[in-house]
Amino acid sequence: MTAMAELGEAELQQHFDDRVAKDQRIEPRDWMPEAYRKTLVRQIAQHAHSEIIGMQPEGNWLTRAPSLRRKAILLAKVQDEAGHGLYLYSAAESLGVDRGELTEKLIDSRQKYSSIFNYPTLTFADIGVIGWLVDGAAICNQVPLCRTSYGPYARAMVRVCKEESFHQRQGYESLMTMMGGTDEQREMVQDATDRWWWPSLMMFGPPDGDSPNTQQSMAWRIKRHTNDELRQKFVDMSVPQAEALGVTLPDPELHWNAERGHYDFGEPDWSEFKQVVSGQGPCNEQRLARRRRAHEEGQWVRDAAAAYAAKQAATEEEAR
Ligand code: BYC
């Protein structure tokens, strides 16, 4: 019996708290409070679902990309998102849940995914703006998660962030190209910016005062910054990028506050956020229906893999 196995609940809790306080990672076999495990499953599953659902708005443009180069880049990006989903489902599985079960919860609307993916992609400029703003927001949120207290989640984030940074640059580069094109292309970029700006700010979650999970998640060092801190960081980062691009961010209250050393900005429409999160956004139904259909159509693949694994196991058994 190991020394850890002989400890009582209070001592285990103390040991856990000490490790978190010292910024050491909690690993799958370590003792952890049940509420910590549940919070991680909730957040990691939502994150994984977002990556998978996030393939849809961009996948929508794969057959209509304006050149072979743009098509190849977009295809690679959408494939990366599938990979991110897989790392994240694996991290969630290390907490004792099953990926199949999490998928069922997503398609039955018992678990959430990011609000941002419930908006439509109306023109190819949306693809550039998703790279610039949505992946930019994702980077702001996810770079600190490389230091989250749960080891498998932190490690998954390192690779995800490297890929996200490529995604962000490809988006910005395609917008730069469009801005150097015709008036119509410039209008498309401005229009896409107008539609995606506020939903991107909502990706960071409700204001801190209305965020039921932040305080505890910060104490456990799952979250390393609050929702409002990250939103501010994103605004500060995006303003000079918008200027370099030559687009206007659709917020009349946006201006530099020298005293704070940050940009002041307007309040997102939180009633819209609540509506989208509760399933009433412009594309919620379509996104879930498509995910459900893909899951059903993939049943034969899962059956074939299970049958093959059973056959392999039986052959190995016979050979013993
Ligand atoms: N959308 O107490 P709060 C990507 C929910 S993937 C929907 O602040 P928390 C990409 C929240 O879950 C982007 N729901 O929660 C992929 C909670 O509800 P429950 C995904 C949201 O967890 C493909 C309630 O509201 N990124 O970038 O402390 C292509 C109260 O909120 C949202 C991640 O998942 C939202 N926006 O903080 C391109 C990052 N915001 O669960 C790009 C990891 C909040 O209590 N996650 N809710 O029923 C996080 O960092 C945190 O979970 C959040 C929310 C900051 C999102």
Side-chain angles (χ1 to χ4, degrees):
M1 212 189 251
T2 65
M4 285 303 287
E6 289 160 14
L7 296 178
E9 179 103 355
E11 288 156 306
L12 288 166
Q13 177 76 49
Q14 190 57 53
H15 184 74
F16 170 87
D17 291 342
D18 289 347
R19 289 191 62 177
V20 170
K22 282 191 221 148
D23 248 342
Q24 289 172 350
R25 299 265 177 272
I26 305 300
E27 296 297 338
R29 288 188 188 168
D30 294 336
W31 182 90
M32 60 186 85
E34 182 54 18
Y36 174 82
R37 195 188 70 84
K38 275 197 175 146
T39 296
L40 279 169
V41 169
R42 177 184 65 78
Q43 177 166 328
I44 300 173
Q46 275 181 22
H47 195 163
H49 298 329
S50 305
E51 301 283 355
I52 299 297
I53 296 277
M55 294 165 75
Q56 292 187 31
E58 292 180 283
N60 184 31
W61 280 89
L62 281 174
T63 54
R64 291 174 290 160
S67 68
L68 182 60
R69 177 167 174 266
R70 294 289 172 204
K71 188 184 178 105
I73 293 172
L74 186 57
L75 197 56
K77 180 181 191 296
V78 173
Q79 278 181 336
D80 282 355
E81 309 302 357
H84 298 175
L86 294 186
Y87 316 148
L88 286 160
Y89 284 126
S90 297
E93 284 196 317
S94 71
L95 290 157
V97 290
D98 177 70
R99 179 177 149 195
E101 206 181 287
L102 298 179
T103 300
E104 293 292 339
K105 285 188 174 160
L106 166 68
I107 60 186
D108 292 346
S109 300
R110 283 179 286 142
Q111 278 180 344
K112 297 188 169 86
Y113 59 90
S114 181
S115 51
I116 193 74
F117 301 116
N118 292 308
Y119 292 87
T121 39
L122 302 181
T123 71
F124 196 72
D126 289 41
I127 299 304
V129 170
I130 287 180
W132 171 36
L133 295 179
V134 176
D135 290 290
I139 292 169
C140 258
N141 170 276
Q142 290 171 22
V143 167
L145 289 176
C146 297
R147 294 184 294 111
T148 191
S149 56
Y150 187 57
Y153 192 22
R155 289 188 288 274
M157 280 302 106
V158 173
R159 180 152 171 193
V160 169
C161 286
K162 283 188 183 155
E163 292 176 353
E164 291 296 1
S165 131
F166 154 70
H167 296 171
Q168 207 243 2
R169 280 161 208 215
Q170 70 77 32
Y172 197 72
E173 188 266 343
S174 88
L175 295 177
M176 275 290 188
T177 306
M178 281 187 241
M179 291 303 283
T182 62
D183 283 346
E184 200 185 354
Q185 284 176 303
R186 278 186 284 278
E187 277 161 29
M188 267 168 59
V189 176
Q190 182 61 58
D191 170 62
T193 306
D194 291 345
R195 285 181 289 105
W196 288 91
W197 174 248
W198 292 108
S200 298
L201 293 190
M202 294 176 197
M203 282 177 74
F204 296 94
D208 292 350
D210 297 329
S211 162
N213 300 299
T214 292
Q215 208 184 354
Q216 182 60 72
S217 288
M218 294 281 287
W220 279 327
R221 301 199 179 178
I222 293 175
K223 283 169 86 162
R224 309 299 309 236
H225 300 282
T226 72
N227 300 354
D228 285 334
E229 283 167 5
L230 291 173
R231 199 170 1 256
Q232 178 73 64
K233 192 164 184 254
F234 174 69
V235 171
D236 291 347
M237 186 177 100
S238 301
V239 174
Q241 293 173 349
E243 278 165 10
L245 196 57
V247 293
T248 311
L249 295 173
D251 179 358
E253 292 176 50
L254 190 64
H255 63 264
W256 178 249
N257 182 328
E259 218 170 279
R260 290 201 310 121
H262 292 289
Y263 283 92
D264 288 339
F265 57 99
E267 198 64 42
D269 180 352
W270 293 114
S271 63
E272 175 184 317
F273 172 74
K274 281 187 194 140
Q275 238 184 332
V276 174
V277 172
S278 69
Q280 313 298 310
C283 298
N284 297 56
E285 241 174 74
Q286 179 191 329
R287 301 285 186 246
L288 272 186
R290 195 161 290 172
R291 183 68 196 90
R292 201 173 292 124
R293 199 177 66 218
H295 187 61
E296 284 162 9
E297 287 174 359
Q299 184 62 49
W300 71 270
V301 179
R302 295 190 293 279
D303 290 345
Y308 181 72
K311 200 168 139 192
Q312 285 290 100
T315 315
E316 274 167 31
E317 186 64 30
E318 260 171 43
R320 271 197 202 145

